[in-house]
């Protein structure tokens, strides 16, 4: 066989396996915001997380979020709705098992705030905002604390008083 062909096959397979590798939670945290603007990154996270974790797991919440995000990149309305329903179920299951997880509450808040109103998935906005405002000072992960604060400061649902309180975490 031709050496060039073998090299090509090796590189192709190597790149495919690198794409299909499981992402760590840290990688998912970094890439998730980019997935809102980049379909390729969304697909990468979705492929990595699809079927991973159980409802007790933070990964399940991210899997739910990225599954709902997949709907953004679909043109078929039935597929969009299916992605939304599946993702919502994953996220809600994760939150039901981890009611005190601020990161899951933040994911749900950001998703609910950005979804079209016609999907009628905005019941927890105030509850999640209140929870985050109360427990953000106790969060030990500095980067996550900063990301939540920055997002909440930009949110239209956050009052000026709440924004002022969040400034110290920027």
């Amino acid at each position: 066989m031709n050496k060039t062909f073998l090299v090509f096959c090796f590189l192709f397979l190597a790149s495919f396996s690198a794409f299909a590798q499981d992402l760590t939670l840290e990688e998912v945290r970094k890439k998730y915001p980019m997935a809102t603007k980049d379909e390729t990154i969304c697909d990468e996270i979705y492929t990595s997380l699809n079927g991973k974790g159980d409802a007790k797991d933070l990964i399940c919440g991210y899997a739910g979020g990225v599954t709902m995000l997949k709907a953004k990149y679909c043109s078929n309305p039935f597929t969009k709705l299916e992605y939304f329903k599946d993702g919502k179920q994953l996220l809600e299951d994760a939150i039901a098992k981890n009611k005190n997880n601020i990161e899951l509450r933040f994911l749900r808040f950001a998703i609910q705030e950005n979804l079209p109103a016609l999907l009628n998935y905005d019941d927890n906005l105030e509850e999640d905002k209140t929870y985050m405002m109360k427990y953000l000072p106790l969060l030990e992960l500095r980067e996550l604390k900063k990301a939540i604060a920055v997002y909440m400061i930009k949110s239209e649902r956050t009052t000026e008083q709440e924004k002022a309180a969040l400034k110290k975490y920027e």
Side-chain angles (χ1 to χ4, degrees):
M1 271 205 232
N2 182 334
K3 284 184 181 181
T4 307
F5 178 73
L6 288 174
V7 169
F8 173 78
C9 287
F10 174 76
L11 291 174
F12 176 77
L13 291 173
S15 68
F16 179 75
S17 67
F19 181 77
Q21 286 179 341
D22 289 344
L23 297 172
T24 65
L25 179 57
E26 211 40 55
E27 291 168 324
V28 171
R29 282 179 175 143
K30 287 179 184 172
K31 290 183 176 210
Y32 187 87
M34 295 182 281
T36 63
K37 295 175 179 68
D38 187 324
E39 183 177 3
T40 304
I41 294 172
C42 182
D43 288 340
E44 177 187 2
I45 298 169
Y46 178 80
T47 300
S48 177
L49 299 185
N50 195 14
K52 305 289 188 298
D54 60 31
K56 297 180 288 192
D57 198 290
L58 187 55
I59 288 293
C60 183
Y62 275 104
V66 80
T67 301
M68 281 188 269
L69 193 53
K70 288 274 293 171
K72 175 181 179 176
Y73 301 110
C74 288
S75 56
N76 181 318
F78 297 107
T79 306
K80 280 182 178 285
L81 189 56
E82 205 56 40
Y83 277 129
F84 170 73
K85 286 180 181 178
D86 292 348
K88 178 182 172 187
Q89 187 66 53
L90 286 168
L91 180 58
E92 289 299 327
D93 287 350
I95 292 171
K97 299 273 193 295
N98 299 283
K99 290 185 189 301
N100 298 324
N101 188 305
I102 193 170
E103 191 167 359
L104 289 173
R105 298 286 197 104
F106 171 59
L107 271 175
R108 181 170 66 185
F109 179 86
I111 289 166
Q112 287 187 356
E113 184 176 47
N114 288 290
L115 281 176
L118 68 96
L119 289 172
N120 201 29
Y121 183 51
D122 58 2
D123 303 351
N124 309 98
L125 284 164
E126 199 58 39
E127 169 194 342
D128 289 342
K129 181 183 85 162
T130 301
Y131 186 87
M132 288 185 291
M133 292 302 298
K134 182 176 181 179
Y135 292 104
L136 188 63
L138 304 176
L139 187 60
E140 293 180 16
L141 299 169
R142 288 187 54 191
E143 287 301 313
L144 180 59
K145 185 185 283 191
K146 179 181 176 180
I148 292 172
V150 167
Y151 183 89
M152 296 297 290
I153 289 169
K154 293 177 184 173
S155 172
E156 293 177 11
R157 298 198 179 269
T158 309
T159 67
E160 290 305 316
Q161 183 181 7
E162 290 166 334
K163 289 177 184 185
L166 292 165
K167 291 269 186 203
K168 63 184 162 198
Y169 304 119
E170 275 187 302

